[in-house]
Amino acid sequence: MDTFEFISVALSFVIGLGVTHLLSAFVRVFLNRKRMRVDWIPMAWAFSIFASMIQYWWAVFELASLEVWPIGHFLAFLGMALLLFVAGALVLPAALFGEAEDLGDIFEEHGRWGLVVLSAYTMTVLVGNAVFWGSSPFSAVGLRTMILAGLPLGVVIARGRTVRGLITVSYLGLWVIAAWQASPAAY
């Protein structure tokens, strides 16, 4: 097993746990749909975090181009995976589904913290792109990444549901464009 294979297994383990959590949470929401009010806003954020996990997993292949792996590099990429895991675990905390009747209430109390973590992840990506790939934070991609980091925080501080909904839809649209442009079609 070479260094990249070892690194990719460790990152895949954490991302795999996050994907498992979110898929299980989606199933729990479906199974509890008659006992609880399902809210589209936390579901949309959970889906975007799930999609970010899949996109991160896909991007791990690009790490094969790094020839040397100092511990700091490994910890940086592991930290990104852990941030995605925590964001997903907070945005849909599956353990609470039997206790609450409103997914919006769960999101209000716990899930919004997942958006703070998602913003931290996105800022880490911005720094990682600059450090590892030489991408300027002030390029079009860097500025778009900064916007993607700020939008979840907008949901956290917004008071009205309409504003939260508009920010959520804006984030999803911008994220789809960014992920499409950043992800190679094949490796």
Side-chain angles (χ1 to χ4, degrees):
M1 181 180 281
D2 69 11
T3 304
F4 170 69
E5 290 170 340
F6 172 78
I7 299 294
S8 66
V9 166
L11 299 178
S12 294
F13 182 75
V14 174
I15 292 296
L17 288 173
V19 165
T20 300
H21 169 81
L22 283 174
L23 289 175
S24 297
F26 290 141
V27 169
R28 283 190 188 100
V29 168
F30 177 78
L31 293 175
N32 289 305
R33 70 191 182 283
K34 293 191 180 192
R35 290 193 334 223
M36 70 185 311
R37 189 176 74 80
V38 178
D39 189 338
W40 73 270
I41 292 176
M43 293 298 289
W45 284 104
F47 176 77
S48 73
I49 293 168
F50 173 80
S52 293
M53 288 175 180
I54 299 301
Q55 197 275 336
Y56 180 90
W57 219 340
W58 184 245
V60 163
F61 288 110
E62 292 181 35
L63 301 180
S65 66
L66 297 177
E67 296 176 12
V68 178
W69 277 92
I71 187 71
H73 288 53
F74 172 70
L75 292 176
F77 287 107
L78 183 62
M80 288 180 201
L82 289 169
L83 286 170
L84 280 176
F85 174 85
V86 171
L90 287 172
V91 81
L92 281 183
L96 300 176
F97 288 165
E99 303 168 15
E101 295 179 5
D102 189 332
L103 188 57
D105 291 344
I106 294 172
F107 181 73
E108 192 65 32
E109 186 174 349
H110 303 289
R112 293 186 315 146
W113 290 105
L115 300 186
V116 173
V117 176
L118 179 61
S119 287
Y121 163 76
T122 308
M123 288 307 294
T124 304
V125 167
L126 182 71
V127 171
N129 285 343
V131 170
F132 297 111
W133 313 117
S135 176
S136 171
F138 303 106
S139 66
V141 171
L143 293 174
R144 183 177 60 211
T145 304
M146 284 188 229
I147 293 169
L148 285 170
L151 287 172
L153 295 176
V155 171
V156 171
I157 62 173
R159 295 290 168 219
R161 181 168 171 77
T162 303
V163 173
R164 287 182 182 166
L166 288 172
I167 294 171
T168 300
V169 169
S170 299
Y171 178 89
L172 290 173
L174 186 58
W175 187 92
V176 166
I177 292 167
W180 186 265
Q181 290 176 346
S183 299
Y187 283 104

